[in-house]
Amino acid sequence: FVQNSEEQVVVFNHGFRLDRPPVTHVGTSWGSFVEMDDKGGVVKRRAGELTTIIHKTDGSNCVVGGLSEWKSHAARHGISGTLREWLACAGLTLDSDPRELLLVSNMPHSLRNMGFSLELELRYAHQHLGAEVVVCHLTVHVTPMLTSLVNSDFLEL
């Protein structure tokens, strides 16, 4: 097992794309907003804010990396937090019993031993608050799943 696996840092960036011919609007969590033509060329760069609000599964805010609301300037190097923090947003720890989540017998007694999928549900909402603002509501979901060891072998020809 990896030592202190709960303290491993998970970092991600995200963005959106909205097709409104003749232009496509693209925005990122680190604050880059552009309009592109149908050939993918940048027509215009513009000021904008993509705020990411992290929620627990019950809808309340959840703190990851010291913040529950990540504005673009805070997310310029990615939205990051420990695995412990991300799992807590789903109401779980690495020692949570997967049998309570799946109601199946003959499984390992903890997510740490079994493995899981960490899924980030992203819902975007566009707002005009005197400036271009897009809010992303992020909810963390965890699904227990058996982890397998993948071996790769390369043969030099």
Side-chain angles (χ1 to χ4, degrees), residues 5-156:
S5 50
E6 294 94 333
E7 300 310 314
Q8 296 296 311
V9 176
V10 177
V11 181
F12 84 102
N13 292 295
H14 66 97
F16 66 91
R17 175 186 172 128
L18 176 63
D19 293 318
R20 290 238 170 112
V23 297
T24 297
H25 302 271
V26 177
T28 65
S29 55
W30 59 91
S32 175
F33 279 58
V34 297
E35 292 179 11
M36 299 178 356
D37 62 23
D38 58 355
K39 293 180 176 55
V42 174
V43 174
K44 179 180 173 184
R45 293 187 188 282
R46 54 192 170 85
E49 173 70 35
L50 174 52
T51 299
T52 306
I53 303 172
I54 304 172
H55 299 281
K56 294 180 182 179
T57 52
D58 67 5
S60 63
N61 286 0
C62 188
V63 175
V64 171
L67 301 169
S68 62
E69 189 170 306
W70 286 75
K71 297 205 179 284
S72 296
H73 70 276
R76 70 181 182 274
H77 299 296
I79 297 171
S80 63
T82 64
L83 183 56
R84 178 189 318 276
E85 292 171 319
W86 289 109
L87 286 170
C89 291
L92 300 169
T93 70
L94 282 179
D95 296 317
S96 294
D97 190 338
R99 296 169 300 173
E100 294 176 6
L101 300 169
L102 294 179
L103 303 174
V104 177
S105 59
N106 297 328
M107 291 193 321
H109 297 295
S110 71
L111 291 175
R112 181 186 311 274
N113 293 329
M114 180 174 184
F116 57 91
S117 169
L118 181 74
E119 299 173 28
L120 306 177
E121 175 188 343
L122 306 171
R123 290 175 288 116
Y124 295 90
H126 184 230
Q127 300 178 352
H128 290 285
L129 303 171
E132 187 79 21
V133 177
V134 175
V135 176
C136 174
H137 296 277
L138 182 155
T139 306
V140 180
H141 301 281
V142 171
T143 304
M145 54 191 330
L146 288 172
T147 341
S148 60
L149 177 62
V150 178
N151 288 323
S152 297
D153 191 14
F154 297 95
L155 177 63
E156 188 174 322

